[in-house]
Amino acid sequence: MHGMTSKSAKPDTQTRLPIQAGAIYTCPMHPQIRQDHPGNCPICGMTLEALIPELEEGENRELTDFQRRFWWTLPLTVVVTALAMGGHRLNLFSMAFQSWIELALSLPVVMWAGGPFFQRGWQSLVKRSPNMWTLISLGTGAAFVYSVVATVAPQVFPASFVSMGRVAVYFEAAVVIISLTLLGQLLELKARSQTSAAIKSLLRLSPKTARRIGSDGIEEDVPLNNVHVGDMLRVRPGEKVPVDGVVIEGSSALDESMLTGEPLPVSKRAGDKVIGATLNTSGALVMRSEKVGSATMLSQIVQMVAQAQRSKAPMQRMADQVAGYFVVAVVLLAVLTFLAWGFFGPEPSWVFGLINAVSVLIIACPCALGLATPMSIMVATGNGATRGVLFRDAAAIENLRRVDTLVIDKTGTLTEGRPSFDRAVPAPGIEADEVLRLAASLDQGSEHPLAETIVRAARERNMTLGKPENFDSASGIGVKGQVEGRQLALGNTTLMEQTGASVAAMVPEAEALRAEGASVMYLAVDGQLAGLLAVSDPVKQSTPEALATLKAAGLRIVMATGDGLTTARAIGARLGIDEVHGEVKPADKLTLVERLQNEGRIVAMAGDGINDAPALARADVGIAMGTGTDVAMNSAQVTLVKGDLRGITIARSLSEATVANMKQNLMFAFLYNSLGIPIAAGVLYPFTGWLLSPMIAALAMSLSSASVIGNALRLRRGRG
């Protein structure tokens, strides 16, 4: 079951995992365990996983094995349970013969489907590390062994234990527990398989080949691992930069948003640095490789995500914190019950001792204890999904309520994350719409994403655009050409100087727009300044309300962005964020999260880009925008499907309700055990003559599970 898996996942002896050359294998629950070959954790028996997974992996053999065990034996569990509940009403055969039928049907479930659980229970004893698997194996084993004895040798039991012509058997208790546990394991294994999704998404970013230019000028496509430092490479429009390096020839605009978080493409020309896996959007480049293999920025981010994921201490569920003591206490009570009845009870004293000891183990079987946490988690995750909040694991739900600091990215998180036309500011004597129309007419000849934004804005306003002639892209500083017989130039101050247009009169307006986070371009017509155009990344409409709610809840808000500090401060001032960090790299965001954690803060990180992935993985709770990259969502524990920060408030309230619900469930589970175990041991017998038969013990166990499930279902209505 989901709530028991912190000590789980040792595969059966037939499972063999493929070996990756040079890979390091570690335990998901105990990251200090590392070795260069597959195996099992010496502490908890869990299957070791590759620290950095291969991009193309085969099937999860453990998951496939458990699916086969579950589905092939589920019909047997259903039939055994149906016979136990209503077989006596059918009158098809004697009850004694029915016990033999139940035994035959239960054997495959217990011996084959439940085999891995008994292995884990045995290992927990050998390793002297009692856990939930110890209780599961003892409880199901006790119920099954008792039932086998009652079927094969019913004469050893006193007449008082004969009901409806047979000694009561509890095969259904054993098989139902095993089937439920298998189902929980399937859910857990599927969830664990997602832990490597972030790194796989990163690995997919890298191109498979590079176009290398030989010393003789001949070009050829070579595998990426054949690229060496100093190689000359050509990057054509629409291709990804293969490795980190420097531009030697050409100019273009590179989309670096997947690594830097910067929403606007960055112009590159000779002498500029380029980053591997970024997208060349327009012109052709010739570059020299400077960093290859594990030295590239993408590889470094992969390493950081892997380390951050494994550096998290595994969350010990509330049930597991007491499981070891509980197991020892239950076993000791069962032994004491057996001995006390054997030496001091009425005849047949040792039979009474055996029956009462079995009753203790059955009523203490941790079905309710195991369901207490995962049932709440399962219901809460379903509730959250209907409200646009996806939780990746139980740790996120349990930890989110404790968060006191939120580190938040700007681009795509606070803002829309895509360029949007802001405004056109005309020079005296010209209309703003004419500035936009002329700029859009010229930009029809450009492939630059900013040009696309301006053209789209003009067409949305149903403007009639002229046809550009003699179009020329001016090496990263702007564009020039003729429209309707007039000579136009659109770009930065350098281009205006080359054109002879003075921008002095509009510099204050341009600086004011830049202070608001906009990118500014000047338009010159026939050598005279005609105006300027601003393109920006607008703040999401829901952002101000979301931040106000979070601040009112007592959270410390910290903004960290790869954008320039001026832009970052402008956005921070507009949104009332006091602590702002600009021009930060992925490693800087990770360092910021670690520094806050070292100060004793419980940190959540909200972001949407690949550059946020290491910090999302390292934070106590990572929160990704559903409108962002797959890598961000795979690195985070919480995803806001609509990319709306108001979802954090929903997630926090659900976290508080869920933890309260889990505590209530644990209280139910322990209450049943604290009352039922003494009665099962026979403490009331000297005073009342009452004994708790295994049948009543099984009923009490079922009632405890039902109460836990019923209480957890209240979370569907958002109640704890």
Side-chain angles (χ1 to χ4, degrees), residues 532-603:
L532 58 81
L533 299 98
V535 175
S536 63
D537 184 13
V539 172
K540 294 178 181 178
Q541 291 184 353
S542 60
T543 294
E545 177 190 343
L547 292 183
T549 303
L550 292 169
K551 291 175 73 174
L555 266 69
R556 172 184 174 186
I557 310 295
V558 180
M559 186 171 79
T561 176
D563 280 4
L565 193 55
T566 299
T567 301
R569 285 175 176 166
I571 297 294
R574 189 189 310 175
L575 295 174
I577 301 174
D578 298 324
E579 188 172 344
V580 174
H581 300 268
E583 301 177 5
V584 295
K585 298 181 176 68
D588 298 329
K589 291 185 179 182
L590 178 62
T591 301
L592 175 61
V593 169
E594 291 174 337
R595 176 173 64 78
L596 290 168
Q597 289 174 326
N598 291 335
E599 293 174 1
R601 295 277 181 171
I602 307 299
V603 181

Side-chain angles (χ1 to χ4, degrees), residues 435 438-440 442-443 451 454 474 477-481 488-492 495-496 499 521-524 531-533:
V435 172
L438 290 174
L442 179 61
D443 265 340
I454 292 173
I477 60 175
V479 294
K480 295 185 294 185
L488 304 185
L490 178 66
N492 60 18
L495 181 61
M496 293 300 103
T499 308
M521 293 157 283
Y522 294 101
L523 175 68
L532 58 81
L533 299 98

Side-chain angles (χ1 to χ4, degrees), residues 194-251:
Q194 297 302 311
T195 59
S196 62
I199 297 176
K200 289 182 180 179
S201 298
L202 284 170
L203 294 174
R204 290 190 186 99
L205 287 175
S206 182
K208 300 293 187 295
T209 62
R211 189 163 188 82
R212 185 168 61 192
I213 305 174
S215 57
D216 54 1
I218 297 177
E219 300 182 10
E220 62 173 338
D221 292 325
V222 298
L224 195 63
N225 56 11
N226 287 351
V227 174
H228 304 288
V229 174
D231 283 352
M232 303 297 288
L233 308 171
R234 184 177 299 281
V235 186
R236 293 166 292 192
E239 292 182 339
K240 289 183 177 180
V241 177
V243 294
D244 297 1
V246 61
V247 177
I248 302 300
E249 296 177 11
S251 64

Side-chain angles (χ1 to χ4, degrees), residues 245-248 252 266-274 287 290:
V246 61
V247 177
I248 302 300
S252 183
V266 181
S267 296
K268 300 289 184 180
R269 50 183 146 176
D272 290 339
K273 300 285 187 180
V274 291
M287 60 170 289
E290 293 186 335

Side-chain angles (χ1 to χ4, degrees), residues 481-533:
Q482 278 188 327
V483 173
E484 298 171 352
R486 289 181 283 184
Q487 190 67 37
L488 304 185
L490 178 66
N492 60 18
T493 54
T494 302
L495 181 61
M496 293 300 103
E497 290 172 359
Q498 293 180 3
T499 308
S502 174
V503 300
M506 303 197 75
V507 166
E509 290 167 300
E511 291 302 317
L513 288 167
R514 290 192 181 101
E516 294 177 5
S519 295
V520 175
M521 293 157 283
Y522 294 101
L523 175 68
V525 179
D526 294 330
Q528 298 295 318
L529 184 66
L532 58 81
L533 299 98

